[in-house]
Amino acid sequence: MRRIALSLLFSVGLGVALLSAGAPATAQSGGQGGGQGGGQGSGQPIPRMVSIKAAEANVRTGPGVDYPIRWVYRRLDMPVQVIAEFDKWRKIRDWEGDEGWVHFALLSSRRTVIVTAPETTLRRLSDEASPAVARLAEGLVARVEYCEPVWCLVTVLGYDGWLKRSDVWGIEPGETLK
């Protein structure tokens, strides 16, 4: 398995978090709205960013419970990108490019990001010279409050601050959040 467990350490004494996942999945991506195969989708734009809202989310090889489980997300708020829809199923892609199908009830419209830089600084203001609030390690997930072209205001483990967009995954290029 390519991803089994990734320990995330961050230097402000916030602790250790574990991220569990499994092997990658493959499938075809669909277009806007109805997705592939004739089922009706949500009518929302594709692609779009969402997050995992369940403590455990089965990712399947196809859109239905008859398809085998490829891996299980065990991380609340993990950001994923919806790339296709079929009925009540959403094909998702994660920050590593792995794809699979999840039931829509396991997803939330809450916006989150995952740190992709080896280490990044959470800053008090959206300025490189602003004082550090915390140092965050790769793989840490944060909730997005607001995004500008270069910076995003996030909340992570009780800390609020600004992260550079280039250090995270979960916000589309050019997207701003108010």
Side-chain angles (χ1 to χ4, degrees), residues 35-51:
Q36 51 178 284
Q40 294 299 313
S42 68
Q44 296 179 19
I46 294 178
R48 69 179 178 279
M49 300 301 298
V50 297
S51 58

Side-chain angles (χ1 to χ4, degrees), residues 131-156:
V133 174
R135 306 267 315 151
L136 307 178
E138 183 176 10
L140 189 64
V141 173
R143 290 186 178 181
V144 178
E145 307 298 329
Y146 174 83
C147 271
E148 301 175 340
V150 178
W151 296 87
C152 289
L153 177 62
V154 302
T155 300
V156 56

Side-chain angles (χ1 to χ4, degrees), residues 2-3 24-31 36 46-52 59-60 71 73 78-85 90-102 107 112 114 169-172:
R2 188 164 75 91
R3 292 179 292 155
T26 58
Q28 303 169 353
S29 61
Q36 51 178 284
I46 294 178
R48 69 179 178 279
M49 300 301 298
V50 297
S51 58
I52 302 291
V59 181
R60 297 179 177 274
W71 74 87
Y73 281 115
M78 181 64 65
V80 293
Q81 182 182 45
V82 174
I83 58 173
E85 296 182 342
R90 306 298 179 254
K91 185 175 183 190
I92 60 168
R93 179 182 300 135
D94 68 15
W95 79 101
E96 292 181 312
D98 294 331
E99 298 177 359
W101 291 86
V102 298
L107 301 175
T112 62
I114 186 167
W169 184 88
I171 301 294
E172 299 287 353

Side-chain angles (χ1 to χ4, degrees), residues 1-171:
M1 291 184 152
R2 188 164 75 91
R3 292 179 292 155
I4 297 175
L6 172 64
S7 293
L8 309 171
L9 301 175
F10 32 104
S11 61
V12 292
L14 297 177
V16 177
L18 288 179
L19 166 67
S20 296
T26 58
Q28 303 169 353
S29 61
Q32 171 107 4
Q36 51 178 284
Q40 294 299 313
S42 68
Q44 296 179 19
I46 294 178
R48 69 179 178 279
M49 300 301 298
V50 297
S51 58
I52 302 291
K53 77 174 180 183
E56 287 191 1
N58 293 336
V59 181
R60 297 179 177 274
T61 61
V65 294
D66 293 335
Y67 289 91
I69 296 170
R70 293 296 297 260
W71 74 87
V72 177
Y73 281 115
R74 299 183 199 283
R75 186 76 183 271
L76 189 65
D77 288 340
M78 181 64 65
V80 293
Q81 182 182 45
V82 174
I83 58 173
E85 296 182 342
F86 179 82
D87 196 24
K88 296 190 183 296
W89 293 86
R90 306 298 179 254
K91 185 175 183 190
I92 60 168
R93 179 182 300 135
D94 68 15
W95 79 101
E96 292 181 312
D98 294 331
E99 298 177 359
W101 291 86
V102 298
H103 193 271
F104 83 102
L106 301 175
L107 301 175
S108 169
S109 61
R110 174 183 295 137
R111 296 301 297 274
T112 62
V113 292
I114 186 167
V115 175
T116 54
E119 185 176 81
T120 190
T121 303
L122 184 67
R123 302 222 175 253
R124 186 170 306 166
L125 301 172
S126 59
D127 185 312
E128 195 70 46
S130 179
V133 174
R135 306 267 315 151
L136 307 178
E138 183 176 10
L140 189 64
V141 173
R143 290 186 178 181
V144 178
E145 307 298 329
Y146 174 83
C147 271
E148 301 175 340
V150 178
W151 296 87
C152 289
L153 177 62
V154 302
T155 300
V156 56
L157 298 172
Y159 291 87
D160 295 327
W162 293 86
L163 288 176
K164 290 183 91 173
R165 289 173 66 132
S166 59
D167 291 343
V168 299
W169 184 88
I171 301 294

